[in-house]
Amino acid sequence: MSRVWRAAARLMLCLGMVFVAASAWALDVPPLTGRVVDLAHVLPADVAASLTSDLETHEAKTSNQVAVLILPSLEGEPLEPFSHRVATTWKLGQKGTDNGVLLLIALRERKLRIEVGYGLEGTLTDLRSAHIIRNEIVPRFRDGDLPGGIAAGVHAILGTIEGSYKAEEGPSAHVRHSQEPSTFQYVLVGIFVGVMAGIMLSHGLQYTRALVGSALAFLVAQFASIVLGVVAAGITAFLLWLILQTNRGARGRRGNWGPDFISGPGGFGGSYGGDIGFSGGGGDFGGGGASGEW
Amino acid sequence: MGKCGITLFSFLMIVSVWGCGYNDLQGVDEDTKAAWSEVINQYQRRADLIPNLVATVKGYAAHEKDTLEGVVQARAQATGIQVTPETLKDPAAFEKFQQAQAGLTSALGRLLAIAENYPNLKADQNFRDLQSQLEGTENRIAVARKRYIDRVAEYNKMVRYFPTNLTAKFLLHLEEKPNFTVADEKAVAKPPEVKF
């Protein structure tokens, strides 16, 4: 028995090492702690604060989400794929309009990129992005004025995308979360259907009627077209059936796929900003924008 | 009743998984088509930029005839091959498309390498703008290709996995789709020769 445990522990250790190695190799996307994420500490507090408030007012007015990320180094990661990874992980911009912009600056590599969401590619074109980098940011960076260059770049970006979208009237930030039926809702429906099916099964209704009930449950879940709902229904029905069949003993407790399925879907929360409650709205990026160096 | 319940439960599970496979397969099939349209779209965008680029370079380096003609020819070849989402199933057509685009990529690489030899060209505002646009487009192509690769991988998995493979084979008659290969990436990544 102990040998089994030791083998298992060894395996875990190996897996752990692989994990550590993998994460050391690829630069992680930093957490979205605010609209201005300055990991290289180049922005004075007052500049960062005023930029943040400008970006906030801009979003309140236009729903565009613009964020700035300043990294000490890319650690060997190529700029464009990393920038795209950050933008899509942070999900800048609103869902549907995809109106997010990321300004990424890597100090050691002296490289920067403006990553533009799908919905703003028409106004903040690759060319316009290149011009902002070339004319607004790089000259100031070359003079050693990083905060000035970043502020000028951000304001040029905001000025360009000003008229593209309008913020929805009313508290759109709250609507955002309940826009589409979440996985959670499907699971709830599934559990409800499962409870029904389970009760039907355990009460020894006629075979045919139970079958009709299950078919109905299946149809409902199918209509929702979500596997998870069906799985939840199945699991609930099975568990309930087990519980209600206690007099029969634990026959047919076949394997441990139950927990597997339950842990399968993972979290359905979404990304939360943290500190000041800023989070991406679900925007997508298609690689638009421009890169530059100084 | 116990046996009956288990039978019923397994029946329910199998039917639902199989049934969902139908919709899911249709869904991923559509996704791959959409992703492919995006790839085509971005390649087209690149092709649209080239005449301007060639004209600009000609203004400064008209005697680099071979390279300029190489780009024009590669562009003609690349735009001559149309791969719609429907003909996407054909691996041979896909291969041809991929080769033509790779040819255009390397021809463009040679052209931009030549531009390094002409300081006046490099300083030209028009040329710099075109270069930025070209870079942007190349990046979009990379993103679109990556999305297509992911979608096709997902789709191909469903087409091969049990039990969705049954749905794919007998009900929908779906086949595996060809994907971009690394061999082509290697050819693309080969740095163009730079003459001093």
Side-chain angles (χ1 to χ4, degrees), chain A residues 113 121 126 131 201 285, chain B residues 1 128-129 139-140 147:
Chain A
R113 176 165 179 81
E121 284 180 0
D126 295 0
H131 283 168
L201 287 178
F285 290 75
Chain B
M1 183 55 213
R128 290 180 74 179
D129 286 355
N139 192 46
R140 283 158 209 255
R147 292 214 164 145

Side-chain angles (χ1 to χ4, degrees), chain B residues 95 98 145 149 179-189:
Chain B
E95 185 64 33
Q98 195 175 335
R145 279 174 60 127
I149 289 170
N179 215 336
F180 288 108
T181 52
V182 189
D184 151 64
E185 296 282 356
K186 258 185 204 150
V188 173

Side-chain angles (χ1 to χ4, degrees), chain A residues 80 84 88 113 118 121 126-127 130-131 134 201 204 207 210-211 214 218 222 227 230 234 238 241 251 257 284-289, chain B residues 1-9 11-13 15-16 19-20 23-24 38 45 125 128-129 132-133 135-137 139-140 143 147:
Chain A
E80 281 84 7
H84 186 252
T88 46
R113 176 165 179 81
Y118 273 125
E121 284 180 0
D126 295 0
L127 198 54
H131 283 168
R134 213 184 292 161
L201 287 178
Y207 190 84
L211 194 65
S214 309
F218 161 67
Q222 175 75 356
V227 196
V230 181
F238 184 60
W241 172 72
R251 240 187 93 145
W257 38 259
D284 200 5
F285 290 75
Chain B
M1 183 55 213
K3 233 177 222 166
C4 173
I6 291 172
T7 327
L8 211 64
F9 175 65
F11 177 70
L12 177 83
M13 286 303 288
V15 163
S16 56
C20 282
N23 274 358
D24 288 356
E38 181 66 13
R45 195 186 158 108
Q125 191 64 32
R128 290 180 74 179
D129 286 355
S132 302
Q133 283 172 297
E135 278 169 14
T137 304
N139 192 46
R140 283 158 209 255
V143 169
R147 292 214 164 145

Side-chain angles (χ1 to χ4, degrees), chain B residues 55-67:
Chain B
T56 310
V57 175
K58 237 181 205 164
Y60 290 89
H63 55 278
E64 302 277 5
K65 261 208 167 109
D66 290 352
T67 317

